[in-house]
Amino acid sequence: MIRRPWSDRGRPSRGSLLRNRDGSAAVEFALVALPFCFMIFAILEVALIFTLDSVLENAAISTGRLVRTGQASAQGMTAAEFKTQLCSRMSIFSGDCESRATIDVREIPQFNTAPPDPLAGEGFDPSGLTYTNGQPGSLMVVRVWYEHPLLTTFLSQGLSDVGDRTAMLTATTAFRNEPAGGGTPPATP
């Protein structure tokens, strides 16, 4: 006699329901697919943030070179012009750079000086930031902040410094301006 999983009346028996595995792969996939897709998207967003951070760092260093070599002073460069030069070096991220980037270029008395941090309080306060080209031989620090919106809620909890779903990327470079006209740099205090 052949044993059938269904009883004679057309209804499944209790034992046959427990042994039946039809659809279990679909249920397992449904349980795993959403977290898997979320993790793939989060990994892609972290890769984008790392790429953006690298591009921002390179743009800050190469634009800071204008100050270091005296080209910014010779051109009478302003903060807006410096920011435009920075954004032109941001490659694929240059479109939103003008609205998302904040700069601070200042002369410092020595390298171990800590300039004011606009992220020290609640949110981002750019009121203490400034722009100066410095003199030949001056110690300078160039800082750039770039506000990047986050799409993944999980990442915004760990990366957000200034508010919900926003990461603030920072690039900093410090240097001594090159002497112009063969002058000697001032002595470090």
mmCIF file of all heavy atoms in Angstrom, residues 46-67:
data_model
loop_
_atom_site.group_PDB
_atom_site.id
_atom_site.type_symbol
_atom_site.label_atom_id
_atom_site.label_comp_id
_atom_site.label_asym_id
_atom_site.label_seq_id
_atom_site.Cartn_x
_atom_site.Cartn_y
_atom_site.Cartn_z
ATOM 1 N N VAL A 46 29.548 53.128 3.187
ATOM 2 C CA VAL A 46 30.834 53.306 3.875
ATOM 3 C C VAL A 46 31.956 53.479 2.846
ATOM 4 O O VAL A 46 32.845 54.315 3.018
ATOM 5 C CB VAL A 46 31.117 52.127 4.831
ATOM 6 C CG1 VAL A 46 32.551 52.132 5.305
ATOM 7 C CG2 VAL A 46 30.179 52.184 6.028
ATOM 8 N N ALA A 47 31.900 52.725 1.760
ATOM 9 C CA ALA A 47 32.902 52.878 0.702
ATOM 10 C C ALA A 47 32.828 54.274 0.089
ATOM 11 O O ALA A 47 33.859 54.906 -0.175
ATOM 12 C CB ALA A 47 32.698 51.814 -0.372
ATOM 13 N N LEU A 48 31.622 54.789 -0.102
ATOM 14 C CA LEU A 48 31.453 56.146 -0.620
ATOM 15 C C LEU A 48 32.033 57.177 0.347
ATOM 16 O O LEU A 48 32.702 58.126 -0.071
ATOM 17 C CB LEU A 48 29.979 56.431 -0.888
ATOM 18 C CG LEU A 48 29.652 57.855 -1.325
ATOM 19 C CD1 LEU A 48 30.179 58.107 -2.734
ATOM 20 C CD2 LEU A 48 28.168 58.107 -1.247
ATOM 21 N N ILE A 49 31.817 56.980 1.634
ATOM 22 C CA ILE A 49 32.334 57.913 2.643
ATOM 23 C C ILE A 49 33.860 57.880 2.662
ATOM 24 O O ILE A 49 34.511 58.935 2.731
ATOM 25 C CB ILE A 49 31.732 57.599 4.022
ATOM 26 C CG1 ILE A 49 30.253 57.970 4.035
ATOM 27 C CG2 ILE A 49 32.478 58.339 5.130
ATOM 28 C CD1 ILE A 49 29.499 57.511 5.249
ATOM 29 N N PHE A 50 34.456 56.696 2.592
ATOM 30 C CA PHE A 50 35.913 56.604 2.553
ATOM 31 C C PHE A 50 36.478 57.272 1.293
ATOM 32 O O PHE A 50 37.500 57.950 1.343
ATOM 33 C CB PHE A 50 36.386 55.157 2.638
ATOM 34 C CG PHE A 50 36.422 54.620 4.034
ATOM 35 C CD1 PHE A 50 35.732 53.459 4.355
ATOM 36 C CD2 PHE A 50 37.141 55.255 5.026
ATOM 37 C CE1 PHE A 50 35.754 52.963 5.647
ATOM 38 C CE2 PHE A 50 37.179 54.756 6.318
ATOM 39 C CZ PHE A 50 36.489 53.612 6.635
ATOM 40 N N THR A 51 35.813 57.087 0.169
ATOM 41 C CA THR A 51 36.248 57.722 -1.071
ATOM 42 C C THR A 51 36.144 59.234 -0.955
ATOM 43 O O THR A 51 37.079 59.967 -1.309
ATOM 44 C CB THR A 51 35.408 57.223 -2.262
ATOM 45 O OG1 THR A 51 35.523 55.809 -2.340
ATOM 46 C CG2 THR A 51 35.848 57.853 -3.555
ATOM 47 N N LEU A 52 35.027 59.711 -0.456
ATOM 48 C CA LEU A 52 34.831 61.152 -0.265
ATOM 49 C C LEU A 52 35.867 61.731 0.687
ATOM 50 O O LEU A 52 36.423 62.801 0.445
ATOM 51 C CB LEU A 52 33.420 61.425 0.245
ATOM 52 C CG LEU A 52 33.079 62.872 0.602
ATOM 53 C CD1 LEU A 52 33.255 63.790 -0.595
ATOM 54 C CD2 LEU A 52 31.658 62.945 1.133
ATOM 55 N N ASP A 53 36.175 61.015 1.761
ATOM 56 C CA ASP A 53 37.176 61.477 2.720
ATOM 57 C C ASP A 53 38.556 61.583 2.070
ATOM 58 O O ASP A 53 39.283 62.553 2.306
ATOM 59 C CB ASP A 53 37.221 60.534 3.921
ATOM 60 C CG ASP A 53 38.104 61.058 5.030
ATOM 61 O OD1 ASP A 53 37.938 62.223 5.439
ATOM 62 O OD2 ASP A 53 38.987 60.297 5.489
ATOM 63 N N SER A 54 38.905 60.626 1.250
ATOM 64 C CA SER A 54 40.190 60.657 0.555
ATOM 65 C C SER A 54 40.259 61.815 -0.439
ATOM 66 O O SER A 54 41.268 62.516 -0.521
ATOM 67 C CB SER A 54 40.413 59.328 -0.167
ATOM 68 O OG SER A 54 41.618 59.343 -0.868
ATOM 69 N N VAL A 55 39.187 62.018 -1.194
ATOM 70 C CA VAL A 55 39.140 63.128 -2.152
ATOM 71 C C VAL A 55 39.216 64.466 -1.410
ATOM 72 O O VAL A 55 39.929 65.385 -1.832
ATOM 73 C CB VAL A 55 37.862 63.034 -3.021
ATOM 74 C CG1 VAL A 55 37.631 64.303 -3.820
ATOM 75 C CG2 VAL A 55 37.937 61.837 -3.939
ATOM 76 N N LEU A 56 38.517 64.586 -0.291
ATOM 77 C CA LEU A 56 38.539 65.820 0.505
ATOM 78 C C LEU A 56 39.936 66.098 1.046
ATOM 79 O O LEU A 56 40.422 67.233 1.000
ATOM 80 C CB LEU A 56 37.529 65.720 1.649
ATOM 81 C CG LEU A 56 37.428 66.943 2.564
ATOM 82 C CD1 LEU A 56 36.865 68.135 1.799
ATOM 83 C CD2 LEU A 56 36.550 66.618 3.764
ATOM 84 N N GLU A 57 40.595 65.073 1.555
ATOM 85 C CA GLU A 57 41.962 65.234 2.082
ATOM 86 C C GLU A 57 42.921 65.695 0.995
ATOM 87 O O GLU A 57 43.710 66.623 1.202
ATOM 88 C CB GLU A 57 42.431 63.907 2.682
ATOM 89 C CG GLU A 57 43.720 63.996 3.439
ATOM 90 C CD GLU A 57 43.571 64.647 4.799
ATOM 91 O OE1 GLU A 57 42.518 64.510 5.421
ATOM 92 O OE2 GLU A 57 44.533 65.312 5.229
ATOM 93 N N ASN A 58 42.855 65.072 -0.168
ATOM 94 C CA ASN A 58 43.730 65.470 -1.277
ATOM 95 C C ASN A 58 43.429 66.885 -1.758
ATOM 96 O O ASN A 58 44.348 67.648 -2.076
ATOM 97 C CB ASN A 58 43.613 64.486 -2.437
ATOM 98 C CG ASN A 58 44.255 63.167 -2.121
ATOM 99 O OD1 ASN A 58 45.189 63.083 -1.325
ATOM 100 N ND2 ASN A 58 43.749 62.117 -2.735
ATOM 101 N N ALA A 59 42.155 67.259 -1.809
ATOM 102 C CA ALA A 59 41.783 68.614 -2.230
ATOM 103 C C ALA A 59 42.279 69.652 -1.224
ATOM 104 O O ALA A 59 42.754 70.723 -1.615
ATOM 105 C CB ALA A 59 40.269 68.715 -2.397
ATOM 106 N N ALA A 60 42.187 69.343 0.072
ATOM 107 C CA ALA A 60 42.658 70.284 1.098
ATOM 108 C C ALA A 60 44.174 70.473 1.010
ATOM 109 O O ALA A 60 44.677 71.600 1.119
ATOM 110 C CB ALA A 60 42.263 69.786 2.484
ATOM 111 N N ILE A 61 44.899 69.402 0.788
ATOM 112 C CA ILE A 61 46.357 69.492 0.697
ATOM 113 C C ILE A 61 46.777 70.273 -0.551
ATOM 114 O O ILE A 61 47.617 71.167 -0.485
ATOM 115 C CB ILE A 61 46.990 68.083 0.712
ATOM 116 C CG1 ILE A 61 46.846 67.463 2.095
ATOM 117 C CG2 ILE A 61 48.457 68.140 0.305
ATOM 118 C CD1 ILE A 61 47.208 65.989 2.157
ATOM 119 N N SER A 62 46.174 69.950 -1.693
ATOM 120 C CA SER A 62 46.589 70.626 -2.929
ATOM 121 C C SER A 62 46.141 72.089 -2.951
ATOM 122 O O SER A 62 46.852 72.943 -3.480
ATOM 123 C CB SER A 62 46.081 69.877 -4.158
ATOM 124 O OG SER A 62 44.682 69.856 -4.190
ATOM 125 N N THR A 63 44.989 72.413 -2.373
ATOM 126 C CA THR A 63 44.557 73.804 -2.314
ATOM 127 C C THR A 63 45.369 74.561 -1.267
ATOM 128 O O THR A 63 45.691 75.737 -1.458
ATOM 129 C CB THR A 63 43.054 73.903 -1.999
ATOM 130 O OG1 THR A 63 42.336 73.049 -2.886
ATOM 131 C CG2 THR A 63 42.549 75.319 -2.171
ATOM 132 N N GLY A 64 45.732 73.903 -0.176
ATOM 133 C CA GLY A 64 46.593 74.528 0.829
ATOM 134 C C GLY A 64 47.959 74.884 0.261
ATOM 135 O O GLY A 64 48.619 75.814 0.719
ATOM 136 N N ARG A 65 48.357 74.169 -0.763
ATOM 137 C CA ARG A 65 49.639 74.467 -1.420
ATOM 138 C C ARG A 65 49.638 75.864 -2.034
ATOM 139 O O ARG A 65 50.677 76.507 -2.132
ATOM 140 C CB ARG A 65 49.950 73.404 -2.472
ATOM 141 C CG ARG A 65 51.288 73.588 -3.121
ATOM 142 C CD ARG A 65 51.792 72.302 -3.728
ATOM 143 N NE ARG A 65 53.000 72.485 -4.496
ATOM 144 C CZ ARG A 65 54.194 72.750 -3.990
ATOM 145 N NH1 ARG A 65 54.328 72.881 -2.685
ATOM 146 N NH2 ARG A 65 55.238 72.900 -4.763
ATOM 147 N N LEU A 66 48.473 76.367 -2.450
ATOM 148 C CA LEU A 66 48.381 77.736 -2.956
ATOM 149 C C LEU A 66 48.785 78.747 -1.885
ATOM 150 O O LEU A 66 49.427 79.753 -2.175
ATOM 151 C CB LEU A 66 46.965 78.034 -3.453
ATOM 152 C CG LEU A 66 46.456 77.224 -4.638
ATOM 153 C CD1 LEU A 66 45.001 77.537 -4.901
ATOM 154 C CD2 LEU A 66 47.305 77.475 -5.863
ATOM 155 N N VAL A 67 48.403 78.475 -0.639
ATOM 156 C CA VAL A 67 48.782 79.341 0.476
ATOM 157 C C VAL A 67 50.262 79.153 0.785
ATOM 158 O O VAL A 67 51.008 80.124 0.969
ATOM 159 C CB VAL A 67 47.913 79.056 1.717
ATOM 160 C CG1 VAL A 67 48.375 79.862 2.914
ATOM 161 C CG2 VAL A 67 46.445 79.322 1.419
#
